[in-house]
Structures are given as C-alpha cells and as structure tokens.
Amino acid sequence: MAGVATLLLLRHGRTTANADGILAGDLPVELDELGVAQAEQARGRLAGLPLAVVVTSPLRRCRQTLELALPGVAAVPDEGMRECGYGEWSGRSLKELADNPLWATVQHHPAAVIFPGGEAMAAMANRAVTAVRAWDARITESHGPDAVWLACSHGDVIKAIVADALGMHLDLFQRISVEPSSITAIRYTPQRPFVLRVNDTGTPISALLHKHRPPAEETAEGDAVLGGGA
C-alpha cells in the first residue's frame, strides 16, 4: 500500500436534529452538547497528524466540527461532500418518514431512490466518490505518497464512499454504519482501494453491545437510519 495517500473521512458530531430524530438535510443545524464533546474528542485523536489538505461539506455542522477538531486549520469546502439532497423530506421526523412508502425503497433499493424535490441517492454517491477520488489523486501527486488528508462529511455520503471502496453495490450500503464523529480510513491504489478502518469512534468495544436504540430512532428493527442517525 505504499505509494498512495491516505484519506480520513470524519463524520460531523451529533447535531440537535440527530438528537431529536429529525432528518436535517440542507438545514443549518448545529452540534448539540454531545456533538461538541465528540468533535473535541476527535481533536485528540487527530492531534499531530500532518494533514496535507482538509476538505469539508459546506454545511454548518461539518464546519463546526472541524473548528473544534482541527482548530486553526483552513478547510476547503467542496459541494461533492455535501449531504444528500433529501428535498421535501428535510426537516421531517424519521419516525414519520418510516411510514412513507418510499422508506422501504430507501432501505432495500437505495440506488433507485429519488427524493421528492431532491436528489437521487445514486447521484449523491457518484458526486461524493468522484470528489474524493479526484482529491486523492491530486494530493498524492502534489504532496507525495505519504500524504494524509481529511474530508468531513455526512453519514450517507461517507457510507456511499465506503461502499464504492469495498466494491459494494449502492443497494447494499445500508449495511454500513457511520456514527457521529467517527473516522474511516481508505487508501486508493492503482489496483484497488484498501479500507483500513470504518466507523472508528475510539470508544470501548462494550459500547457496541447496547440493546436498544434511542427513542428518536424507533423505526422498524433492522432498518438503517436515513442520514446516519445519532
């Protein structure tokens, strides 16, 4: 795996919308108290890394996360890393949306989903993957094979990037979990991407053993939470 840059994907910290079970979309929501703590914890995990470039979704919650996780670092906004355009679904509760007939398609055939008044999930995946691969190639060329760079984005966007790196069809990307303030690492080589780490929150393994989801995320058992959840 020598000879290529390393990409770190950082999801923003928990927001007020995440905590309330609301699909934020393009809304200018901010981190809640826990989200601030998560971003500050990420600062410790990222400390000392010689990041060649930091790229971000232009939405407030990502920029706020980076202000706390990487203070003083100038991040480059990129529309390719923006949240999926949920259109008329933005601002609505996940519990309400789970009763919409389109929800089943989101769960089982997301590659076919076009959100009313919004974006197709396949279009979101294409723009995000195109953006990170282009950035990665430029950074490897300009900063050398040992370069490390970071992109801060959203749950569904990062899941789509991971699915592409794993060679998974987008219809399977709901099997991937990307929690607030988690870090995912990928290296793109000429032969194939290597997924080095997924959804790393730095928490003890015991944190994975919870038996119940928060009430705000009470959809059907086994459903993935649109937007990534809290």
Side-chain angles (χ1 to χ4, degrees), residues 19-35:
D20 293 337
I22 302 296
L23 184 62
D26 283 342
L27 298 178
V29 299
E30 299 203 353
L31 304 186
D32 68 358
E33 185 176 353
L34 176 58

